[in-house]
Amino acid sequence: MSIEIDVLNGDASWPRVEPLMNAVWPKHVVEKLSWGHVKWAHADLRVLIEAPEESPKPGLACHVGIYFRTATWNGRKVDIGGIGGVATREDFRGRGLAGLALGAAIQTMRDHEAIKFALLFCEPHNFAFYEARGWHKFTGEVYAEQPEGRIRFEAMAPFVFDFTRAPRDGIIDLCGLPW
Ligand SMILES: CC(C)(COP(=O)(O)OP(=O)(O)OC[C@H]1O[C@@H](n2cnc3c(N)ncnc32)[C@H](O)[C@@H]1OP(=O)(O)O)[C@@H](O)C(=O)NCCC(=O)NCCS
């Protein structure tokens, strides 16, 4: 099986991604989760892996959203990358696709030299998945924008991937919507 990995504009590629997001996170399920009420940023870029042509069910097999943001860490401006919407279609799980897509996302962010570290948010059942891929828990506080104003963001746990900085604590302000 040959695997094609595309990195595309976030808004333009959304129609290809939406069916996978709805399948992995159906609205009626998300509404009941701790983060169901959160207003999220839209991805700037998206890593897409299509199901191979010979697959009985065509469509998107795996997705990782990439975000770029000038945030602050302990009050100082810092350009960071973000990862969100990591999802693999159920019938393609356990074949390394999310690992490949995450690797492509890390490489894409690394290509932007200004980016000092990457940040993602996840639930406890995925901590081990990201820790095994080089992400570290951020134990400080994270702030973000929501329609009601600036809030401390605690709906999910923050994890950091180090480039030239390795923040583990302190205060990160996303200076915008979370992802
Ligand atoms: C988490 C998810 C993206 C993994 O996708 P995938 O394509 O199956 O991942 P990969 O095949 O690259 O990696 C699978 C490996 O991770 C492990 N793994 C998968 N989920 C894990 C978890 N929650 N905790 C620890 N390990 C996990 C598998 O055991 C497997 O290990 P191995 O490589 O040693 O065999 C997929 O299960 C999914 O879409 N889940 C629902 C949505 C979700 O929770 N997304 C994460 C949001 S932060």
PDB file of all heavy atoms in Angstrom, residues 78-111:
ATOM      1  N   VAL A  78       5.842  34.918  21.729  1.00  0.00           N
ATOM      2  CA  VAL A  78       6.549  33.756  21.181  1.00  0.00           C
ATOM      3  C   VAL A  78       5.690  33.144  20.067  1.00  0.00           C
ATOM      4  O   VAL A  78       4.472  33.019  20.212  1.00  0.00           O
ATOM      5  CB  VAL A  78       6.859  32.719  22.299  1.00  0.00           C
ATOM      6  CG1 VAL A  78       5.609  32.239  23.003  1.00  0.00           C
ATOM      7  CG2 VAL A  78       7.629  31.527  21.756  1.00  0.00           C
ATOM      8  N   ASP A  79       6.333  32.834  18.943  1.00  0.00           N
ATOM      9  CA  ASP A  79       5.613  32.167  17.849  1.00  0.00           C
ATOM     10  C   ASP A  79       5.578  30.674  18.134  1.00  0.00           C
ATOM     11  O   ASP A  79       6.633  30.048  18.332  1.00  0.00           O
ATOM     12  CB  ASP A  79       6.305  32.424  16.508  1.00  0.00           C
ATOM     13  CG  ASP A  79       6.099  33.857  16.048  1.00  0.00           C
ATOM     14  OD1 ASP A  79       5.021  34.420  16.343  1.00  0.00           O
ATOM     15  OD2 ASP A  79       7.015  34.433  15.421  1.00  0.00           O
ATOM     16  N   ILE A  80       4.364  30.139  18.161  1.00  0.00           N
ATOM     17  CA  ILE A  80       4.239  28.705  18.447  1.00  0.00           C
ATOM     18  C   ILE A  80       3.410  28.030  17.350  1.00  0.00           C
ATOM     19  O   ILE A  80       2.686  28.695  16.608  1.00  0.00           O
ATOM     20  CB  ILE A  80       3.623  28.424  19.842  1.00  0.00           C
ATOM     21  CG1 ILE A  80       2.165  28.874  19.921  1.00  0.00           C
ATOM     22  CG2 ILE A  80       4.440  29.112  20.916  1.00  0.00           C
ATOM     23  CD1 ILE A  80       1.483  28.459  21.235  1.00  0.00           C
ATOM     24  N   GLY A  81       3.542  26.712  17.290  1.00  0.00           N
ATOM     25  CA  GLY A  81       2.708  25.917  16.396  1.00  0.00           C
ATOM     26  C   GLY A  81       1.687  25.170  17.232  1.00  0.00           C
ATOM     27  O   GLY A  81       1.856  25.022  18.446  1.00  0.00           O
ATOM     28  N   GLY A  82       0.651  24.701  16.599  1.00  0.00           N
ATOM     29  CA  GLY A  82      -0.360  23.928  17.308  1.00  0.00           C
ATOM     30  C   GLY A  82      -0.818  22.754  16.471  1.00  0.00           C
ATOM     31  O   GLY A  82      -0.708  22.753  15.244  1.00  0.00           O
ATOM     32  N   ILE A  83      -1.287  21.731  17.190  1.00  0.00           N
ATOM     33  CA  ILE A  83      -1.807  20.507  16.569  1.00  0.00           C
ATOM     34  C   ILE A  83      -3.205  20.276  17.129  1.00  0.00           C
ATOM     35  O   ILE A  83      -3.409  20.426  18.336  1.00  0.00           O
ATOM     36  CB  ILE A  83      -0.923  19.313  17.011  1.00  0.00           C
ATOM     37  CG1 ILE A  83       0.482  19.403  16.414  1.00  0.00           C
ATOM     38  CG2 ILE A  83      -1.567  17.990  16.668  1.00  0.00           C
ATOM     39  CD1 ILE A  83       0.526  19.170  14.953  1.00  0.00           C
ATOM     40  N   GLY A  84      -4.133  19.927  16.281  1.00  0.00           N
ATOM     41  CA  GLY A  84      -5.484  19.640  16.772  1.00  0.00           C
ATOM     42  C   GLY A  84      -6.252  18.772  15.798  1.00  0.00           C
ATOM     43  O   GLY A  84      -5.831  18.569  14.652  1.00  0.00           O
ATOM     44  N   GLY A  85      -7.375  18.241  16.251  1.00  0.00           N
ATOM     45  CA  GLY A  85      -8.221  17.430  15.377  1.00  0.00           C
ATOM     46  C   GLY A  85      -7.511  16.192  14.862  1.00  0.00           C
ATOM     47  O   GLY A  85      -7.716  15.774  13.711  1.00  0.00           O
ATOM     48  N   VAL A  86      -6.676  15.591  15.712  1.00  0.00           N
ATOM     49  CA  VAL A  86      -5.951  14.382  15.292  1.00  0.00           C
ATOM     50  C   VAL A  86      -6.953  13.219  15.260  1.00  0.00           C
ATOM     51  O   VAL A  86      -7.545  12.872  16.287  1.00  0.00           O
ATOM     52  CB  VAL A  86      -4.795  14.063  16.275  1.00  0.00           C
ATOM     53  CG1 VAL A  86      -4.079  12.785  15.859  1.00  0.00           C
ATOM     54  CG2 VAL A  86      -3.824  15.236  16.346  1.00  0.00           C
ATOM     55  N   ALA A  87      -7.152  12.650  14.099  1.00  0.00           N
ATOM     56  CA  ALA A  87      -8.166  11.590  13.990  1.00  0.00           C
ATOM     57  C   ALA A  87      -7.851  10.643  12.845  1.00  0.00           C
ATOM     58  O   ALA A  87      -7.444  11.077  11.763  1.00  0.00           O
ATOM     59  CB  ALA A  87      -9.543  12.197  13.780  1.00  0.00           C
ATOM     60  N   THR A  88      -8.054   9.367  13.117  1.00  0.00           N
ATOM     61  CA  THR A  88      -7.933   8.326  12.087  1.00  0.00           C
ATOM     62  C   THR A  88      -9.269   7.599  12.000  1.00  0.00           C
ATOM     63  O   THR A  88      -9.867   7.273  13.037  1.00  0.00           O
ATOM     64  CB  THR A  88      -6.823   7.309  12.455  1.00  0.00           C
ATOM     65  OG1 THR A  88      -5.591   8.006  12.562  1.00  0.00           O
ATOM     66  CG2 THR A  88      -6.684   6.222  11.402  1.00  0.00           C
ATOM     67  N   ARG A  89      -9.738   7.365  10.781  1.00  0.00           N
ATOM     68  CA  ARG A  89     -10.984   6.622  10.579  1.00  0.00           C
ATOM     69  C   ARG A  89     -10.856   5.258  11.237  1.00  0.00           C
ATOM     70  O   ARG A  89      -9.794   4.636  11.163  1.00  0.00           O
ATOM     71  CB  ARG A  89     -11.222   6.477   9.071  1.00  0.00           C
ATOM     72  CG  ARG A  89     -12.670   6.458   8.694  1.00  0.00           C
ATOM     73  CD  ARG A  89     -12.794   6.547   7.210  1.00  0.00           C
ATOM     74  NE  ARG A  89     -12.668   5.246   6.562  1.00  0.00           N
ATOM     75  CZ  ARG A  89     -12.611   5.079   5.239  1.00  0.00           C
ATOM     76  NH1 ARG A  89     -12.645   6.128   4.441  1.00  0.00           N
ATOM     77  NH2 ARG A  89     -12.515   3.877   4.723  1.00  0.00           N
ATOM     78  N   GLU A  90     -11.940   4.808  11.848  1.00  0.00           N
ATOM     79  CA  GLU A  90     -11.873   3.602  12.690  1.00  0.00           C
ATOM     80  C   GLU A  90     -11.248   2.401  11.966  1.00  0.00           C
ATOM     81  O   GLU A  90     -10.429   1.676  12.534  1.00  0.00           O
ATOM     82  CB  GLU A  90     -13.268   3.263  13.207  1.00  0.00           C
ATOM     83  CG  GLU A  90     -13.217   2.910  14.665  1.00  0.00           C
ATOM     84  CD  GLU A  90     -14.579   2.883  15.327  1.00  0.00           C
ATOM     85  OE1 GLU A  90     -15.507   3.568  14.856  1.00  0.00           O
ATOM     86  OE2 GLU A  90     -14.694   2.148  16.324  1.00  0.00           O
ATOM     87  N   ASP A  91     -11.618   2.207  10.686  1.00  0.00           N
ATOM     88  CA  ASP A  91     -11.131   1.025   9.973  1.00  0.00           C
ATOM     89  C   ASP A  91      -9.666   1.155   9.537  1.00  0.00           C
ATOM     90  O   ASP A  91      -9.123   0.224   8.939  1.00  0.00           O
ATOM     91  CB  ASP A  91     -12.027   0.699   8.763  1.00  0.00           C
ATOM     92  CG  ASP A  91     -12.277   1.889   7.857  1.00  0.00           C
ATOM     93  OD1 ASP A  91     -12.154   3.030   8.324  1.00  0.00           O
ATOM     94  OD2 ASP A  91     -12.594   1.682   6.674  1.00  0.00           O
ATOM     95  N   PHE A  92      -9.022   2.293   9.812  1.00  0.00           N
ATOM     96  CA  PHE A  92      -7.604   2.457   9.458  1.00  0.00           C
ATOM     97  C   PHE A  92      -6.712   2.625  10.687  1.00  0.00           C
ATOM     98  O   PHE A  92      -5.543   2.965  10.570  1.00  0.00           O
ATOM     99  CB  PHE A  92      -7.428   3.658   8.518  1.00  0.00           C
ATOM    100  CG  PHE A  92      -7.752   3.326   7.090  1.00  0.00           C
ATOM    101  CD1 PHE A  92      -8.993   3.646   6.566  1.00  0.00           C
ATOM    102  CD2 PHE A  92      -6.833   2.663   6.287  1.00  0.00           C
ATOM    103  CE1 PHE A  92      -9.311   3.315   5.258  1.00  0.00           C
ATOM    104  CE2 PHE A  92      -7.147   2.335   4.979  1.00  0.00           C
ATOM    105  CZ  PHE A  92      -8.391   2.658   4.456  1.00  0.00           C
ATOM    106  N   ARG A  93      -7.281   2.443  11.882  1.00  0.00           N
ATOM    107  CA  ARG A  93      -6.485   2.660  13.100  1.00  0.00           C
ATOM    108  C   ARG A  93      -5.453   1.559  13.305  1.00  0.00           C
ATOM    109  O   ARG A  93      -5.627   0.444  12.823  1.00  0.00           O
ATOM    110  CB  ARG A  93      -7.402   2.753  14.329  1.00  0.00           C
ATOM    111  CG  ARG A  93      -8.163   4.066  14.283  1.00  0.00           C
ATOM    112  CD  ARG A  93      -8.960   4.356  15.520  1.00  0.00           C
ATOM    113  NE  ARG A  93      -9.794   5.524  15.233  1.00  0.00           N
ATOM    114  CZ  ARG A  93     -10.874   5.867  15.910  1.00  0.00           C
ATOM    115  NH1 ARG A  93     -11.257   5.143  16.938  1.00  0.00           N
ATOM    116  NH2 ARG A  93     -11.555   6.944  15.572  1.00  0.00           N
ATOM    117  N   GLY A  94      -4.383   1.925  14.033  1.00  0.00           N
ATOM    118  CA  GLY A  94      -3.354   0.944  14.379  1.00  0.00           C
ATOM    119  C   GLY A  94      -2.432   0.593  13.230  1.00  0.00           C
ATOM    120  O   GLY A  94      -1.718  -0.408  13.282  1.00  0.00           O
ATOM    121  N   ARG A  95      -2.430   1.414  12.173  1.00  0.00           N
ATOM    122  CA  ARG A  95      -1.530   1.148  11.035  1.00  0.00           C
ATOM    123  C   ARG A  95      -0.452   2.225  10.926  1.00  0.00           C
ATOM    124  O   ARG A  95       0.215   2.342   9.894  1.00  0.00           O
ATOM    125  CB  ARG A  95      -2.322   1.137   9.725  1.00  0.00           C
ATOM    126  CG  ARG A  95      -3.412   0.116   9.676  1.00  0.00           C
ATOM    127  CD  ARG A  95      -3.972   0.061   8.262  1.00  0.00           C
ATOM    128  NE  ARG A  95      -5.252  -0.613   8.216  1.00  0.00           N
ATOM    129  CZ  ARG A  95      -5.927  -0.808   7.100  1.00  0.00           C
ATOM    130  NH1 ARG A  95      -5.452  -0.370   5.948  1.00  0.00           N
ATOM    131  NH2 ARG A  95      -7.094  -1.417   7.136  1.00  0.00           N
ATOM    132  N   GLY A  96      -0.356   3.080  11.934  1.00  0.00           N
ATOM    133  CA  GLY A  96       0.707   4.099  11.932  1.00  0.00           C
ATOM    134  C   GLY A  96       0.349   5.392  11.223  1.00  0.00           C
ATOM    135  O   GLY A  96       1.201   6.262  11.056  1.00  0.00           O
ATOM    136  N   LEU A  97      -0.925   5.542  10.793  1.00  0.00           N
ATOM    137  CA  LEU A  97      -1.269   6.742  10.024  1.00  0.00           C
ATOM    138  C   LEU A  97      -1.190   8.019  10.865  1.00  0.00           C
ATOM    139  O   LEU A  97      -0.652   9.034  10.416  1.00  0.00           O
ATOM    140  CB  LEU A  97      -2.666   6.614   9.409  1.00  0.00           C
ATOM    141  CG  LEU A  97      -2.830   5.563   8.312  1.00  0.00           C
ATOM    142  CD1 LEU A  97      -4.195   5.693   7.646  1.00  0.00           C
ATOM    143  CD2 LEU A  97      -1.729   5.670   7.271  1.00  0.00           C
ATOM    144  N   ALA A  98      -1.707   7.983  12.098  1.00  0.00           N
ATOM    145  CA  ALA A  98      -1.652   9.184  12.936  1.00  0.00           C
ATOM    146  C   ALA A  98      -0.197   9.537  13.236  1.00  0.00           C
ATOM    147  O   ALA A  98       0.166  10.722  13.237  1.00  0.00           O
ATOM    148  CB  ALA A  98      -2.441   8.984  14.229  1.00  0.00           C
ATOM    149  N   GLY A  99       0.634   8.526  13.454  1.00  0.00           N
ATOM    150  CA  GLY A  99       2.055   8.777  13.683  1.00  0.00           C
ATOM    151  C   GLY A  99       2.693   9.462  12.485  1.00  0.00           C
ATOM    152  O   GLY A  99       3.440  10.435  12.632  1.00  0.00           O
ATOM    153  N   LEU A 100       2.354   8.987  11.283  1.00  0.00           N
ATOM    154  CA  LEU A 100       2.900   9.595  10.064  1.00  0.00           C
ATOM    155  C   LEU A 100       2.412  11.031   9.901  1.00  0.00           C
ATOM    156  O   LEU A 100       3.188  11.941   9.583  1.00  0.00           O
ATOM    157  CB  LEU A 100       2.426   8.806   8.836  1.00  0.00           C
ATOM    158  CG  LEU A 100       3.199   7.565   8.443  1.00  0.00           C
ATOM    159  CD1 LEU A 100       2.506   6.886   7.275  1.00  0.00           C
ATOM    160  CD2 LEU A 100       4.629   7.937   8.051  1.00  0.00           C
ATOM    161  N   ALA A 101       1.114  11.235  10.110  1.00  0.00           N
ATOM    162  CA  ALA A 101       0.535  12.577   9.937  1.00  0.00           C
ATOM    163  C   ALA A 101       1.105  13.551  10.972  1.00  0.00           C
ATOM    164  O   ALA A 101       1.398  14.706  10.652  1.00  0.00           O
ATOM    165  CB  ALA A 101      -0.993  12.510  10.033  1.00  0.00           C
ATOM    166  N   LEU A 102       1.299  13.063  12.210  1.00  0.00           N
ATOM    167  CA  LEU A 102       1.903  13.921  13.247  1.00  0.00           C
ATOM    168  C   LEU A 102       3.333  14.293  12.858  1.00  0.00           C
ATOM    169  O   LEU A 102       3.752  15.442  13.026  1.00  0.00           O
ATOM    170  CB  LEU A 102       1.936  13.188  14.589  1.00  0.00           C
ATOM    171  CG  LEU A 102       0.689  13.280  15.459  1.00  0.00           C
ATOM    172  CD1 LEU A 102       0.835  12.345  16.650  1.00  0.00           C
ATOM    173  CD2 LEU A 102       0.481  14.714  15.950  1.00  0.00           C
ATOM    174  N   GLY A 103       4.061  13.321  12.322  1.00  0.00           N
ATOM    175  CA  GLY A 103       5.437  13.584  11.880  1.00  0.00           C
ATOM    176  C   GLY A 103       5.463  14.645  10.787  1.00  0.00           C
ATOM    177  O   GLY A 103       6.311  15.551  10.809  1.00  0.00           O
ATOM    178  N   ALA A 104       4.520  14.547   9.845  1.00  0.00           N
ATOM    179  CA  ALA A 104       4.456  15.541   8.758  1.00  0.00           C
ATOM    180  C   ALA A 104       4.104  16.922   9.321  1.00  0.00           C
ATOM    181  O   ALA A 104       4.625  17.952   8.864  1.00  0.00           O
ATOM    182  CB  ALA A 104       3.428  15.110   7.715  1.00  0.00           C
ATOM    183  N   ALA A 105       3.222  16.942  10.337  1.00  0.00           N
ATOM    184  CA  ALA A 105       2.846  18.226  10.944  1.00  0.00           C
ATOM    185  C   ALA A 105       4.037  18.847  11.682  1.00  0.00           C
ATOM    186  O   ALA A 105       4.293  20.047  11.573  1.00  0.00           O
ATOM    187  CB  ALA A 105       1.682  18.017  11.916  1.00  0.00           C
ATOM    188  N   ILE A 106       4.783  18.027  12.404  1.00  0.00           N
ATOM    189  CA  ILE A 106       5.969  18.527  13.125  1.00  0.00           C
ATOM    190  C   ILE A 106       6.974  19.096  12.124  1.00  0.00           C
ATOM    191  O   ILE A 106       7.530  20.177  12.308  1.00  0.00           O
ATOM    192  CB  ILE A 106       6.643  17.383  13.941  1.00  0.00           C
ATOM    193  CG1 ILE A 106       5.732  16.909  15.068  1.00  0.00           C
ATOM    194  CG2 ILE A 106       8.013  17.808  14.473  1.00  0.00           C
ATOM    195  CD1 ILE A 106       5.586  17.851  16.221  1.00  0.00           C
ATOM    196  N   GLN A 107       7.189  18.363  11.018  1.00  0.00           N
ATOM    197  CA  GLN A 107       8.149  18.827  10.011  1.00  0.00           C
ATOM    198  C   GLN A 107       7.696  20.150   9.396  1.00  0.00           C
ATOM    199  O   GLN A 107       8.493  21.059   9.185  1.00  0.00           O
ATOM    200  CB  GLN A 107       8.323  17.753   8.923  1.00  0.00           C
ATOM    201  CG  GLN A 107       9.463  18.042   7.962  1.00  0.00           C
ATOM    202  CD  GLN A 107      10.784  18.288   8.685  1.00  0.00           C
ATOM    203  OE1 GLN A 107      11.193  17.508   9.537  1.00  0.00           O
ATOM    204  NE2 GLN A 107      11.459  19.398   8.381  1.00  0.00           N
ATOM    205  N   THR A 108       6.385  20.266   9.140  1.00  0.00           N
ATOM    206  CA  THR A 108       5.839  21.499   8.556  1.00  0.00           C
ATOM    207  C   THR A 108       6.068  22.677   9.506  1.00  0.00           C
ATOM    208  O   THR A 108       6.453  23.771   9.078  1.00  0.00           O
ATOM    209  CB  THR A 108       4.326  21.324   8.281  1.00  0.00           C
ATOM    210  OG1 THR A 108       4.176  20.210   7.393  1.00  0.00           O
ATOM    211  CG2 THR A 108       3.726  22.566   7.654  1.00  0.00           C
ATOM    212  N   MET A 109       5.855  22.453  10.807  1.00  0.00           N
ATOM    213  CA  MET A 109       6.052  23.540  11.776  1.00  0.00           C
ATOM    214  C   MET A 109       7.537  23.867  11.912  1.00  0.00           C
ATOM    215  O   MET A 109       7.922  25.026  12.024  1.00  0.00           O
ATOM    216  CB  MET A 109       5.453  23.142  13.137  1.00  0.00           C
ATOM    217  CG  MET A 109       3.933  23.055  13.083  1.00  0.00           C
ATOM    218  SD  MET A 109       3.191  22.807  14.694  1.00  0.00           S
ATOM    219  CE  MET A 109       3.615  21.133  15.025  1.00  0.00           C
ATOM    220  N   ARG A 110       8.369  22.833  11.877  1.00  0.00           N
ATOM    221  CA  ARG A 110       9.819  23.027  12.000  1.00  0.00           C
ATOM    222  C   ARG A 110      10.352  23.889  10.851  1.00  0.00           C
ATOM    223  O   ARG A 110      11.316  24.637  11.014  1.00  0.00           O
ATOM    224  CB  ARG A 110      10.515  21.662  11.982  1.00  0.00           C
ATOM    225  CG  ARG A 110      11.689  21.549  12.906  1.00  0.00           C
ATOM    226  CD  ARG A 110      12.407  20.249  12.657  1.00  0.00           C
ATOM    227  NE  ARG A 110      12.010  19.155  13.513  1.00  0.00           N
ATOM    228  CZ  ARG A 110      12.307  19.067  14.807  1.00  0.00           C
ATOM    229  NH1 ARG A 110      12.969  20.021  15.395  1.00  0.00           N
ATOM    230  NH2 ARG A 110      11.923  18.026  15.515  1.00  0.00           N
ATOM    231  N   ASP A 111       9.706  23.754   9.668  1.00  0.00           N
ATOM    232  CA  ASP A 111      10.130  24.537   8.500  1.00  0.00           C
ATOM    233  C   ASP A 111       9.922  26.031   8.716  1.00  0.00           C
ATOM    234  O   ASP A 111      10.497  26.855   8.006  1.00  0.00           O
ATOM    235  CB  ASP A 111       9.355  24.094   7.240  1.00  0.00           C
ATOM    236  CG  ASP A 111       9.801  22.714   6.769  1.00  0.00           C
ATOM    237  OD1 ASP A 111      10.871  22.252   7.211  1.00  0.00           O
ATOM    238  OD2 ASP A 111       9.061  22.098   5.973  1.00  0.00           O
TER     239      ASP A 111
END
